[in-house]
């Protein structure tokens, strides 16, 4: 096996990982390859998440992202006063922008939860994920985490709503008859959850297309070979 791996390395010229591991990801080397594939998935998800949260927690992160910007939560689609307010395109756009800005606070709470999940994820079919679609790793992690990000974001969003001073946001919340701040925070968290995963998926897609951008020898080797 070692002779086979060495010959394949020389033939392809692709080195994966550091000199300490020197593991080649080739069919038929499931033991060593499986271990390296798991590490590759963890690195792929970590870098994708880092890039995504760097964008989303920056000022205007959600609003400025074509992938992450979200529309008004369904909570704001009720009748009465809020419906009257939303007949104004200007008011609706301003409210949408304020909720997207608010989501940045939620993303700050979500980031460490994602990083912890990547480190502790049980990755059974790493080869399948590596060979999967453009967002296969992101989809895998999201399925494993379920509603964890929503739950992590709600407290931070609730706190942000309590101190929010934007008049449009305040007027809209007051128009939601019988709705408390916790419900508004949950509605925004659900939208932000989708947006975060969309952004992580977009970053994964970009890494798969250009693994050299990561400067990570393992990822570069994996995606050049496959």
């Amino acid at each position: 096996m070692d002779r086979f791996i060495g010959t394949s390395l020389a033939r392809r010229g692709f080195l994966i990982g550091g000199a300490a591991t020197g593991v080649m990801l080739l069919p038929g080397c499931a033991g060593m390859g499986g271990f390296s594939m798991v590490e590759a998935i963890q690195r792929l998800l970590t870098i994708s998440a880092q890039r995504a949260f760097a964008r989303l927690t920056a000022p205007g992160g959600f609003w400025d992202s074509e992938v992450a910007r979200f529309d008004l939560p369904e909570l704001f689609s009720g009748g009465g006063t809020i419906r009257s307010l939303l007949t104004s395109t200007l008011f609706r756009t301003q409210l949408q922008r304020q909720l997207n800005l608010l989501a940045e606070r939620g993303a700050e709470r979500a980031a460490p939860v994602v990083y912890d999940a990547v480190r502790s994820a049980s990755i059974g079919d790493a080869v399948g994920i590596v060979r999967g679609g453009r967002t296969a790793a992101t989809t895998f992690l999201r399925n494993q985490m379920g509603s964890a990000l929503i739950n992590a974001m709600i407290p931070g969003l609730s706190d942000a709503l309590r101190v929010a001073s934007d008049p449009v946001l305040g007027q809209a919340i007051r128009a939601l008859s019988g709705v408390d701040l916790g419900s508004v925070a949950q509605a925004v968290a659900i939208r932000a959850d989708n947006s975060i995963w969309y952004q992580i998926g977009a970053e994964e897609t970009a890494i798969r297309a250009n693994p050299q951008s990561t400067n990570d020898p393992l990822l570069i080797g994996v995606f050049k070979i496959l």
Side-chain angles (χ1 to χ4, degrees):
M1 179 64 73
D2 292 339
R3 183 177 303 169
F4 174 74
I5 294 174
T7 302
S8 299
L9 279 169
R11 184 167 61 249
R12 291 168 173 79
F14 295 136
L15 177 64
I16 299 177
T21 55
V23 177
M24 192 64 186
L25 303 182
L26 294 173
C29 298
M32 298 176 68
F35 172 80
S36 292
M37 287 291 193
V38 169
E39 185 178 358
I41 292 299
Q42 290 175 328
R43 293 190 191 183
L44 174 61
L45 284 169
T46 297
I47 297 174
S48 298
Q50 288 172 341
R51 290 181 175 183
F53 284 117
R55 293 174 185 269
L56 297 179
T57 58
F62 282 81
W63 183 252
D64 294 336
S65 170
E66 294 182 2
V67 174
R69 180 188 296 187
F70 57 86
D71 202 354
L72 296 181
E74 293 182 6
L75 186 70
F76 291 89
S77 63
T81 305
I82 188 62
R83 175 175 292 180
S84 299
L85 291 173
L86 294 178
T87 57
S88 166
T89 301
L90 177 60
F91 185 92
R92 184 183 186 90
T93 300
Q94 290 177 333
L95 176 59
Q96 181 188 1
R97 183 174 185 274
Q98 287 303 315
L99 293 177
N100 275 262
L101 295 178
L102 183 73
E104 296 167 21
R105 306 285 77 79
E108 292 173 355
R109 295 288 189 98
V113 178
V114 171
Y115 300 143
D116 287 344
V118 171
R119 286 191 291 267
S120 61
S122 176
I123 304 173
D125 185 18
V127 175
I129 294 172
V130 168
R131 291 177 172 171
R134 295 177 299 173
T135 61
T138 302
T139 300
F140 160 78
L141 185 64
R142 183 177 190 178
N143 289 338
Q144 280 218 333
M145 295 188 66
S147 61
L149 292 192
I150 296 173
N151 296 333
M153 287 189 284
I154 289 175
L157 291 172
S158 296
D159 292 342
L161 283 168
R162 290 190 186 93
V163 300
S165 59
D166 179 75
V168 170
L169 180 59
Q171 187 177 3
I173 292 175
R174 288 192 297 272
L176 295 171
S177 177
V179 177
D180 58 18
L181 291 184
S183 297
V184 177
Q186 182 179 21
V188 175
I190 292 172
R191 292 289 194 187
D193 176 67
N194 284 328
S195 295
I196 289 170
W197 290 116
Y198 294 159
Q199 191 68 54
I200 295 175
E203 303 300 340
E204 178 188 352
T205 298
I207 291 172
R208 285 177 179 267
N210 181 25
Q212 290 87 348
S213 67
T214 65
N215 294 318
D216 187 306
L218 178 56
L219 292 179
I220 292 170
V222 167
F223 291 111
K224 276 190 174 181
I225 290 172
L226 297 178

